[in-house]
Amino acid sequence: MLQRGVKILHNIEDSLLVIILLAMVTLAFSQIVMRNFFGSGTIWLDPLLRVLVLWVGLLGALVATRQDKQISVDVLTRILSEKLKVISNIITRSFAAIVSAIIAWHSFLFLIDEWHSGVTAFASVPAWLTESIIPFGFAVIALRYTFQVIVLLIKVVKGAPDQ
Amino acid sequence: MIIAVILLILALLGAPLFSIIGGSALWGFHSEEINLQVVTIEIYRLAEMPVLLAIPLFTFAGYLLGESQAPARMVRMAHALLGWMPGGLAIVALTACAFFTAFTGASGVTIVALGALLYPALQQAGYPERFNLGLITTSGSLGLLFAPSLPLILYGVIAQQASLDTPVNIDDLFLAGILPGLLMVILLSGWSMWKQPKGQLTTKLDGREIFAAIRESIWEIPLPFLVLGGIYGGYIAVSEAAAVTAVYVLIVEVFIKREVKLRELPVIIRESMVLVGAILLILGVSLASTNYMIDADIPTRLFETIRAHIDNKWTFLIALNIFLLVLGMMLDIFSALIIIIPIILPIAAGYGIHPVHLGIVFLANMQLGYFTPPVGMNLFIASYRFNKPVMELYIATLPFFFILLFAVLVITYFPSLSLVFLGP
């Protein structure tokens, strides 16, 4: 049940990435065509494209966390023993989870302020909507790292039987 | 201070870099009693820089090219055109890799995509194995200095945030990279001619093969002209060039050549966006930490500390070279750019170093760092790809390392090499 839910979430993330990137390619290209051949671009397209960069970035970061492909320094981890590696993973991932959670929480508070103030980002799109990916993204990243820590802890408690 | 040490230890233990930078920004703002919501506002600036659009679009196009047969066609064409020269095949390898890296941004893709083609070809031509390994591993980061490479664009983006007296234009960076990049290719080509196996028969210039190779690559040939001509000619902005490239590559490889199937596209998009996401996440949080550092006057204070020990530009450049070489071994080029540039740019400006020159020096050093023992990333990628012990790669890349080190020194101490094409 839980596994199915996780799989659906992964599919949604992947699909969103594909849709947003293809939208960016199409919109950016059509903007160039319109500007150069018809002398007029659409005013709200440029801000929309810039927001999509933020969205594709944070969604990509979610997937990077899922695939354990976040950029990190691996000078030390390469020489650590298997056991020490698990321990250092628990420490570093907990840290990443905490930082992400703090950013998610304050972004959420920021979002509520924006919602109350009714600011618009462009056209009549409210600013809170374009910004909502920040708390959402960091919250999911925090959850992912938390899960990874739990899995690692279980492994430690069970005494790493898979060796 | 204690916090800084803890963060450093966490980073060395392999904590994701975004959490280190984000954590330091949070701590900084917290200790100044600034509302932490400011971090959100800084991250949102990712949606306020038009040029950033180029990053996902170029990365996608590069991954797509890597999945198609374009690398094989490119090698064939380079071979048809350059194979007749002494050391021809090695020069083919260098040219093809430099070209491919410029479009894919040196994320290790070059070794994986081109290495498989070039390595056996070099072997067959009679080059010693060690030379081949060294050449391919070195070439994996060659081409970083040529437009439209991602690190060049990223440097421009970050330098623009620093609001210096001398504005940094990405088009200028593209111009500045040409001669330093060529210097590296030429030096390595010279070494390859020298190391050419005795009695090796170079292929003859064959009109029919050239014609066939060109015909096969007819769709890819316009691409560099489209992109570089558009940018250097001033017709289109960098982000627009990225959009044109993405559309063009998509149409050619998926619909005309049909080498990438439509159903493979989602995975390619996802994998390319994972890299983009990892980069943009670090960039986002570092906008916050940079803002804090500038608020706290850290670059200025660092500059004063350094100036107490280093009194001239040239000594500073030597120290910078050493520092960057070590940095390049430990950090990948993207995080190194994002983290270090905001700090050293103002310091270098204090010594009167042109920001565009600094960018070229920085990237040239980083390129070297890719295969500097013991921990350069490409050493491990090549070790994995060719199934050789890393130790063997250390030895294989050593002569190439010294050649490029020489190039880096020339690039560092002759600023005019980078700045000659720039306007007054």
Side-chain angles (χ1 to χ4, degrees):
Chain A
M1 187 56 196
L2 183 68
Q3 264 178 339
R4 230 176 106 199
V6 169
K7 195 155 187 208
I8 292 172
L9 181 68
H10 290 182
N11 281 336
I12 293 175
E13 289 169 5
D14 291 2
S15 316
L16 270 177
L17 269 184
V18 172
I19 293 167
I20 293 180
L21 182 84
L22 290 179
M24 282 165 77
V25 173
T26 322
L27 293 175
F29 187 71
S30 60
Q31 182 80 329
I32 298 169
V33 172
M34 282 192 290
R35 204 169 272 155
N36 289 303
F37 295 98
F38 302 98
S40 69
T42 315
I43 299 170
W44 51 264
L45 253 185
D46 287 329
L48 173 64
L49 279 167
R50 294 203 294 269
V51 167
L52 289 181
V53 171
L54 174 76
W55 278 65
V56 95
L58 277 165
L59 284 168
L62 289 186
V63 181
T65 314
R66 181 174 111 204
Q67 301 182 342
D68 203 12
K69 282 189 183 158
Q70 289 290 6
I71 298 173
S72 57
V73 180
D74 55 356
V75 183
L76 258 183
T77 40
R78 248 196 272 271
I79 52 169
L80 288 182
S81 73
E82 208 50 47
K83 206 169 169 184
L84 282 173
K85 213 181 268 177
V86 172
I87 295 170
S88 92
N89 271 341
I90 291 175
I91 298 171
T92 54
R93 261 133 248 253
S94 309
F95 177 73
I98 295 167
V99 170
S100 310
I102 296 175
I103 297 178
W105 173 244
H106 286 280
S107 304
F108 178 69
L109 294 178
F110 177 73
L111 207 68
I112 293 177
D113 285 354
E114 292 276 282
W115 189 69
H116 283 303
S117 68
V119 187
T120 54
F122 54 89
S124 52
V125 179
W128 67 264
L129 189 64
T130 61
E131 291 154 357
S132 60
I133 189 70
I134 301 176
F136 176 77
F138 278 95
V140 175
I141 291 174
L143 281 176
R144 285 219 158 119
Y145 279 122
T146 311
F147 275 125
Q148 289 178 14
V149 169
I150 292 171
V151 170
L152 286 169
L153 280 174
I154 291 172
K155 205 170 152 188
V156 170
V157 171
K158 280 190 177 169
D162 42 272
Q163 277 188 22
Chain B
M1 193 60 208
I2 297 170
I3 296 288
V5 173
I6 294 175
L7 287 176
L8 190 67
I9 292 171
L10 282 169
L12 287 176
L13 283 176
L17 281 175
F18 86 86
S19 66
I20 302 290
I21 303 165
S24 76
L26 287 174
W27 178 256
F29 285 122
H30 172 75
S31 52
E32 304 269 310
E33 291 174 15
I34 297 170
N35 189 331
L36 292 184
Q37 291 181 19
V38 70
V39 174
T40 315
I41 300 171
E42 292 296 332
I43 294 171
Y44 192 73
R45 275 170 57 206
L46 288 179
E48 287 163 354
M49 296 182 230
V51 67
L52 281 188
L53 182 60
I55 293 180
L57 297 182
F58 268 132
T59 310
F60 167 61
Y63 269 69
L64 201 54
L65 273 178
E67 288 294 318
S68 72
Q69 297 299 314
R73 285 194 292 275
M74 202 170 66
V75 171
R76 182 179 175 188
M77 194 169 74
H79 195 222
L81 292 171
L82 303 172
W84 55 272
M85 291 162 77
L89 194 62
I91 296 172
V92 168
L94 290 167
T95 319
C97 284
F99 198 77
F100 194 71
T101 305
F103 272 84
T104 57
S107 39
V109 188
T110 307
I111 294 180
V112 178
L114 284 177
L117 301 164
L118 294 169
Y119 184 66
L122 286 163
Q123 205 85 329
Q124 218 169 27
Y127 284 95
E129 185 180 25
R130 194 164 277 176
F131 174 84
N132 302 339
L133 278 175
L135 185 82
I136 301 282
T137 312
T138 310
S139 307
S141 57
L142 195 65
L144 268 185
L145 296 177
F146 295 128
S149 100
L150 223 49
L152 268 178
I153 297 175
L154 198 58
Y155 177 82
V157 170
I158 297 162
Q160 279 167 4
Q161 301 301 311
S163 53
L164 296 166
D165 300 336
T166 327
V168 177
N169 193 320
I170 293 179
D171 298 3
D172 285 347
L173 283 167
F174 283 177
L175 287 171
I178 297 176
L179 289 185
L182 277 178
L183 174 72
M184 291 182 165
V185 175
I186 290 169
L187 284 177
L188 289 174
S189 299
W191 172 248
S192 306
M193 286 182 185
W194 176 263
K195 291 294 275 185
Q196 187 193 22
K198 303 239 155 37
Q200 182 218 30
L201 293 170
T202 45
T203 34
K204 287 217 177 63
L205 209 53
D206 178 354
R208 208 177 300 162
E209 169 63 11
I210 292 179
F211 181 72
I214 288 182
R215 222 179 98 174
E216 197 184 57
S217 301
I218 196 75
W219 286 105
E220 278 100 5
I221 293 172
L223 193 57
F225 296 101
L226 206 69
V227 175
L228 304 182
I231 297 174
Y232 286 135
Y235 300 109
I236 46 176
V238 178
S239 60
E240 293 177 322
V244 172
T245 308
V247 168
Y248 188 87
V249 171
L250 188 65
I251 291 175
V252 168
E253 309 303 344
V254 178
F255 297 106
I256 296 177
K257 287 279 185 183
R258 298 190 183 196
E259 287 164 350
V260 176
K261 294 194 182 66
L262 212 49
R263 64 183 153 77
E264 293 168 345
L265 212 50
V267 175
I268 297 175
I269 292 178
R270 187 184 72 198
E271 294 314 308
S272 57
M273 289 310 109
V274 163
L275 175 68
V276 170
I279 296 172
L280 288 185
L281 187 64
I282 295 182
L283 182 60
V285 290
S286 82
L287 289 172
S289 71
T290 305
N291 184 329
Y292 166 73
M293 279 193 323
I294 291 172
D295 264 5
D297 250 357
I298 290 175
T300 324
R301 275 167 20 202
L302 259 177
F303 174 57
E304 269 147 24
T305 318
I306 295 174
R307 204 171 46 180
H309 302 283
I310 297 173
D311 54 358
N312 71 70
K313 178 176 168 178
W314 305 107
T315 328
F316 172 75
L317 281 172
I318 293 175
L320 186 69
N321 270 331
I322 297 168
F323 170 69
L324 291 180
L325 212 57
V326 176
L327 187 76
M329 288 169 1
M330 299 172 52
L331 277 183
D332 72 290
I333 192 159
F334 298 114
S335 356
L337 272 169
I338 296 169
I339 299 169
I340 302 299
I341 288 300
I343 304 172
I344 63 169
L345 201 56
I347 298 173
Y351 281 102
I353 295 163
H354 195 290
V356 169
H357 180 224
L358 178 75
I360 302 300
V361 170
F362 190 94
L363 294 184
N365 264 290
M366 285 291 129
Q367 178 180 340
L368 210 53
Y370 266 98
F371 60 96
T372 307
V375 285
M377 179 180 80
N378 279 359
L379 293 166
F380 292 95
I381 293 179
S383 152
Y384 175 77
R385 184 70 192 73
F386 300 112
N387 206 8
K388 299 275 177 214
V390 183
M391 209 52 192
E392 197 171 326
L393 284 156
Y394 292 168
I395 301 165
T397 48
L398 212 56
F400 296 92
F401 176 81
F402 283 113
I403 292 167
L404 285 191
L405 181 64
F406 173 71
V408 167
L409 295 177
V410 172
I411 292 165
T412 309
Y413 301 104
F414 294 89
S416 52
L417 202 61
S418 309
L419 303 176
V420 67
F421 292 133
L422 268 58

